[in-house]
Each structure stands twice: as C-alpha cells, then as structure tokens.
Amino acid sequence: MERLQKVIANSGYCSRRKAEEYIAKKQVTVNGEVATLGMKVSEKDIILINQTALTKEEKEYFLLYKPANVISSVKDEKKRPTVVDIIPTKTRIYPVGRLDYNTTGLLLLTNDGELSNFLTHPKNEIEKTYTAKINGILSPSEIMELKKGIVIEERKVHPTFVKVKKINQEHQTSTITIGITEGRNHIVKKLFAHFGYKVVKLKRESYAFLTLEGLKEGEFRPLTRKEIKKLYSLR
Ligand code: URA
C-alpha cells in the first residue's frame, strides 16, 4: 500500500504536488469514493482523476543537452518553448529539477516519479557539475571561502570541488567549474552573488555519472538500460 499522491505521481500522470492539488479539489476518486490526501491505495484500487482512469505509462528516460532560451517545465504561461517541446514523445515526461532559462547543459527528463523524487531530494546529495563564467576574478581568499562552503538562505552549500579554469585579465572575467550536491533554484548564481559576481554564462556539465558526451546543444538521447539501473542503484 502506498500513499495516493505518490501512486498518481509514479504513474507519470503528473507531479506529486499536482496530484495533491487534484485530491484537495476532490477531483480524485478511489473505488468510487472521493479520495482524501494521504490515503493508502493498492494496485487493485480503481483510481479516477476527473473521471478518467489512472493508467500506468511506459517509463521513459531522456538526457537532453538543454539549449539556452528554453524553459525547464512542461508548460509556460508566457508560451515560451519548453524542454518537453524538444522531445517527441506521447508520455508525460517532465524535467528532473530545473535549469534556468538561460542555462545550458545536462537535463534529465522522465515520467518516472519515483526516480525523479529520489534524484531531486536534497538528502540524497546527487552531484551536479557546472561551468560558470563570471564577471570578475575570485581572489585566493574568496576561492578558499567558496571551497569551505557558504551559507545561502540559512543553509550551507558545500561545493564538492572548485576549479578556476580560465582568467581573462583584460575583460576581468573568469571561468570556474564547480560541483554541487543540491538542487536549490539559482544556487550557482547565488554562490557567486555572495561575492558580488554575476554569472554571465552557465552550463551543467554532468549529473551524477552522466555527461553530455556525444551530444550537441539542443540534442537528446534516451538513457540506456544500464544507465537507468545505475541511477536506481544510487539509492
Ligand atoms: N544554478 C543556477 O544558478 N542556475 C541553474 O540553472 C542551475 C544551477
């Protein structure tokens, strides 16, 4: 038996938050009765959302090299292109976490709610690496401080590594690679903003053991069975 909102999310129908909304709005029934948030259901229960039966979709997993100027969500109110628009599939895939509109790089998309929840939960500390170009040059003491960890909105961010790759003295810019094990929105930009620098270009290079190898910006590929298994084995 599992909680209803989890079962709905795991079916690929929608996110867990959206499932909770449907339940709260009394749009979900279980065996003909209006459902309640947190109720436990089993495989045998008949779940309807807005009178439509919940069916299990085939699980799909994609690795996208997100281009800039594409939004990391399923739909956009401002009708901007989304990452989901890039991938031709009939299943309800959605991005695992987010990259900012102007950030490029590795983004996973799936309809596997269970895996997505695991990968994005802060306690699981999945490493993501980024290359950031900033409008300044970190001083040695700033690099030390960054390596030691910085408190952002009352929680410490402890980079797994920090490496200065390039310094342009003439333009006073630098390129830094950094590893982060959490997924708060705009986290890399906030880290550099702590020192007063602006991130002018940001690319996610890797997600756990996955990289962008073989892909150009805007391209995607399905994950292999081996990769899916390996992501599950991180649990
Ligand atoms: N950190 C950011 O600031 N932006 C991203 O898109 C990802 C991580």
Side-chain angles (χ1 to χ4, degrees), residues 98-100 103 130 184-190 202:
R98 278 168 188 273
L99 288 178
D100 294 337
T103 299
Y130 297 88
R184 272 187 276 169
N185 283 346
H186 318 305
I187 197 67
V188 176
K189 289 176 185 167
K190 284 176 181 167
L202 185 61

Side-chain angles (χ1 to χ4, degrees), residues 32 104 192 223:
T104 62
F192 290 107
L223 291 186

Side-chain angles (χ1 to χ4, degrees), residues 11 57 107 109 119 171 186 190 196 204 230:
S11 77
E57 280 182 338
L107 186 67
L109 295 105
L119 293 173
H171 294 111
H186 318 305
K190 284 176 181 167
R204 181 148 77 192
K230 201 164 166 191

Side-chain angles (χ1 to χ4, degrees), residues 1-20 22-23 39-43 47 49 54-61 91-94 96 110-120 232 235:
M1 300 280 273
E2 286 202 283
R3 284 183 197 282
L4 177 60
Q5 57 267 37
K6 190 173 172 194
V7 172
I8 296 172
N10 288 353
S11 77
Y13 184 86
C14 60
S15 68
R16 196 185 295 206
R17 203 176 328 137
K18 200 86 199 151
E20 286 169 358
Y22 287 132
I23 299 166
M39 71 183 286
K40 298 263 180 95
V41 291
S42 78
E43 292 267 303
I47 301 163
I49 303 177
L54 190 69
T55 51
K56 276 206 172 147
E57 280 182 338
E58 274 298 300
K59 298 281 185 266
E60 293 199 280
Y61 307 83
T91 63
R92 295 181 195 87
I93 56 166
Y94 54 88
V96 176
T110 184
N111 56 351
D112 182 342
E114 190 185 343
L115 185 64
S116 174
N117 285 337
F118 165 74
L119 293 173
T120 52
Y232 263 101
R235 295 201 292 181

